């Protein structure tokens, strides 16, 4: 048994031809966030503190689809959502429909710790944020030019896009667009376990490009995009509707609990059999310090480290 941490920056159809200037900035962010998490774990911060700290850092990076880099709804607005869960107590908090909160993951934790509820959304969540004095900014803070262009592309193609759909040049013909291309951004998440087997999971996202106003994805739904109990902690990424239907995060835990599977076996089964190919990736850790990061998409921005010295930062299959 020992501490372990894993994080992701989204799964999708990430081409091997990804330009270095797009790939390297995201790998550098993953490396930076991984080190923050490792330092926090080795200084004996709780896993709950660790996953919140790491996801906050990822939310503040405009290259990922959460916080500052959140993609836009069909109305050109942001609606951010997040979830956090503690494995030992199984307490959890979630939020949706945020438009001004700088760090949705921290508001999720306040929902867990300061209310009798689990999930707050939209105006109620925004009002709660103001009551708690959490940092808010004008909604325009989250509107990046890259995401404005991404929304324009989605509208022209008359589709809702997953995170990984690259804005294309105007002279590219519509029939040359990949339906699930690459935007170099993605939902973010982190899972951690300390040397005593305490677990936590956290996930944050801006959702889908050109999504309907009011749409809620898998991220804030306990057991779908985020889950933790005494056996494991899981954070998923990909196509939210498929992840919700597959109850992805909870199924990993259930296979461990009721079938006696290892973390790696359970996660591989869920990703391989429960969700259609091209739809999901996840990061997970077990109470005994195991780590797994499977995906059935082309790639997934991911990183992990364990107490025994193993460390990995990757995008595609090794």
């Amino acid at each position: 048994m020992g501490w372990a941490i894993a994080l992701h920056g989204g799964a999708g159809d990430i081409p091997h031809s990804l330009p270095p200037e797009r790939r390297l900035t995201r790998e550098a962010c993953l490396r930076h966030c991984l080190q923050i998490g490792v330092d926090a774990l080795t200084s004996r911060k709780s896993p709950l503190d660790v996953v919140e700290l790491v996801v906050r850092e990822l939310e503040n990076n405009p290259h990922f689809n959460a916080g500052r880099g959140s993609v836009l709804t069909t109305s050109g607005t942001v609606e951010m959502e997040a979830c956090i869960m503690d494995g030992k107590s199984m307490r959890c908090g979630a939020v949706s429909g945020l438009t001004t909160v700088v760090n949705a993951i921290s508001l999720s934790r306040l929902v867990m710790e300061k209310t009798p509820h689990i999930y707050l959304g939209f105006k109620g969540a925004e009002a709660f944020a103001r009551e708690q004095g959490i940092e808010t900014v004008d909604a325009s803070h989250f509107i990046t030019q890259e995401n404005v262009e991404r929304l324009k592309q989605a509208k022209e193609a008359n589709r809702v896009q997953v995170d990984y759909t690259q804005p294309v040049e105007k002279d590219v013909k519509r029939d040359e667009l990949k339906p699930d291309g690459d935007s170099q951004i993605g939902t973010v998440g982190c899972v951690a376990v300390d040397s005593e087997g305490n677990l936590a999971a956290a996930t944050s996202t801006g959702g889908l490009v050109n999504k309907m106003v009011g749409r809620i994805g898998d991220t804030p739904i306990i057991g779908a995009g985020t889950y933790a109990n005494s056996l494991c902690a899981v954070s998923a990424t990909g196509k939210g509707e498929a992840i919700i239907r597959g109850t992805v995060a909870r199924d990993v835990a259930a296979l461990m609990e009721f079938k006696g599977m290892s973390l790696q076996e359970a996660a591989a089964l869920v990703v391989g059999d429960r969700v259609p190919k091209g739809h999901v990736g996840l990061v997970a850790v077990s109470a005994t310090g195991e780590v797994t990061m499977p995906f059935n998409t082309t790639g997934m921005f991911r990183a992990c480290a364990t107490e025994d010295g193993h460390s990995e930062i990757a995008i595609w299959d090794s």
Side-chain angles (χ1 to χ4, degrees), residues 106-234:
S106 292
L107 187 62
S108 296
R109 185 167 181 179
L110 288 174
V111 171
M112 178 183 79
E113 294 179 341
K114 303 292 186 180
T115 81
H117 308 305
I118 289 174
Y119 197 161
L120 292 180
F122 299 89
K123 291 181 179 179
E126 287 280 338
F128 177 66
R130 292 191 294 272
E131 290 171 8
Q132 293 298 310
I134 197 168
E135 184 180 4
T136 58
V137 293
D138 187 86
S140 62
H141 167 80
F142 302 101
I143 312 295
T144 66
Q145 187 56 42
E146 186 175 12
N147 281 330
V148 170
E149 290 299 318
R150 190 168 288 114
L151 175 62
K152 181 181 178 183
Q153 173 194 335
K155 284 180 174 291
E156 289 174 350
N158 192 30
R159 67 180 182 217
V160 175
Q161 294 178 176
V162 293
D163 310 10
Y164 288 89
T165 308
Q166 184 174 357
V168 295
E169 300 300 325
K170 292 181 179 178
D171 59 354
V172 176
K173 296 177 182 177
R174 181 173 297 182
D175 60 6
E176 293 175 350
L177 293 174
K178 285 185 175 181
D180 300 318
D182 173 57
S183 71
Q184 330 325 317
I185 61 171
T187 294
V188 303
C190 181
V191 291
V193 59
D194 64 17
S195 57
E196 297 176 356
N198 298 305
L199 293 144
T203 317
S204 183
T205 189
L208 297 174
V209 183
N210 201 28
K211 66 182 180 181
M212 291 176 65
V213 171
R215 179 261 186 186
I216 294 171
D218 66 289
T219 290
I221 297 179
I222 305 301
T226 311
Y227 191 74
N229 64 5
S230 62
L231 297 174
C232 66
V234 183

Side-chain angles (χ1 to χ4, degrees), residues 84-104:
I84 193 166
M85 187 165 186
D86 176 66
K88 186 175 183 179
S89 66
M90 294 188 70
R91 296 176 69 203
C92 46
V95 290
S96 283
L98 302 183
T99 59
T100 68
V101 176
V102 173
N103 293 112

Side-chain angles (χ1 to χ4, degrees), residues 57-69:
E57 195 71 16
L58 288 163
E59 288 175 333
N60 293 337
N61 188 301
H63 298 302
F64 294 107
N65 179 15
R68 181 74 174 89

